[in-house]
Amino acid sequence: TAIAFIPGASTAFTTEEQEANARLISLAPELAEALRSVVAVYDRVGGPLAVDADVTAARALLARLDGAA
């Protein structure tokens, strides 16, 4: 069963792809919360410079998720 129909999009997804997409969609809120927690800890204690770009990318992703970007 399709979750959504997108005009012009291919509907030739395998069962495995459909199940993987459904899992990702269903876990998105938990993934976002985990990402928020990681960013919050990083902000609180400071992190190594090696992950600055990753944390910046995480902040940008969260902004998009929250509709701010």
Side-chain angles (χ1 to χ4, degrees), residues 23-64:
R23 282 192 303 275
L24 181 58
I25 290 167
S26 70
L27 291 173
E30 291 174 63
L31 290 167
E33 189 55 38
L35 187 56
R36 282 188 185 90
S37 294
V38 168
V39 170
V41 168
Y42 177 87
D43 288 343
R44 201 169 40 249
V45 299
L49 295 176
V51 298
D52 283 347
D54 295 324
V55 173
T56 298
R59 283 191 185 104
L61 180 59
L62 288 168
R64 288 175 52 205

Side-chain angles (χ1 to χ4, degrees), residues 3 10-25:
I3 294 172
S10 171
T11 57
F13 293 108
T14 65
T15 300
E16 291 81 18
E17 289 171 319
Q18 291 175 357
E19 290 172 355
N21 287 338
R23 282 192 303 275
L24 181 58
I25 290 167

